[in-house]
Amino acid sequence: MEALVPYLRGVHIGAGGLALLVLAVPIVTKKGGRTHVLVGRIYAIAMAIVALTAWPITAARLTDDSKGNDFNAIFLAYIAILAANTTLVGVRALRTKRRKTPSLLDAVPSLLLVAAA
């Protein structure tokens, strides 16, 4: 696991950098337009990668010998939950916007975020 962490960290940083670079494009382009949708998908995928790669990195930091990493690892785990929640809520909102009844699946990520806080 420890040997994978530098590679995962590189993917994590790269995906986060990509998400940061494309963040403003969907905000300033026409809603529903080709550019808005394409770049919005790129952003959502990049943020999903950020959230997914954060978990093994967090686990590695919690299980290493340095106790000084524990607080930072717990904080980063919370940020990973936050990134996953906002990405999932955004994607689910778009995919279910015509639905009339709420789903428990839509509430679970937000409840997990509140519980983690």
Side-chain angles (χ1 to χ4, degrees):
M1 176 69 148
E2 287 293 324
L4 286 177
V5 170
Y7 300 108
L8 288 172
R9 188 178 298 126
V11 171
H12 181 82
I13 292 169
L18 176 63
L20 189 60
L21 285 174
V22 301
L23 173 65
V25 177
I27 294 171
V28 299
T29 57
K30 182 181 177 208
K31 184 178 175 184
R34 178 182 277 182
T35 303
H36 179 90
V37 171
L38 176 65
V39 176
R41 284 186 181 153
I42 292 169
Y43 175 79
I45 291 168
M47 286 306 294
I49 292 169
V50 166
L52 290 173
T53 56
W55 289 105
I57 294 169
T58 298
R61 290 183 102 182
L62 284 172
T63 57
D64 69 4
D65 293 335
S66 174
K67 294 297 177 196
N69 282 340
D70 290 356
F71 177 77
N72 292 333
I74 292 168
F75 175 73
L76 292 175
Y78 178 74
I79 297 300
I81 294 170
L82 178 63
N85 179 55
T86 55
T87 303
L88 184 60
V89 166
V91 169
R92 293 280 301 163
L94 290 174
R95 290 198 176 157
T96 60
K97 63 183 170 185
R98 288 180 176 64
R99 189 178 59 203
K100 301 288 187 230
T101 58
S103 169
L104 182 62
L105 180 61
D106 296 329
V108 169
S110 297
L111 292 173
L112 178 62
L113 179 66
V114 170

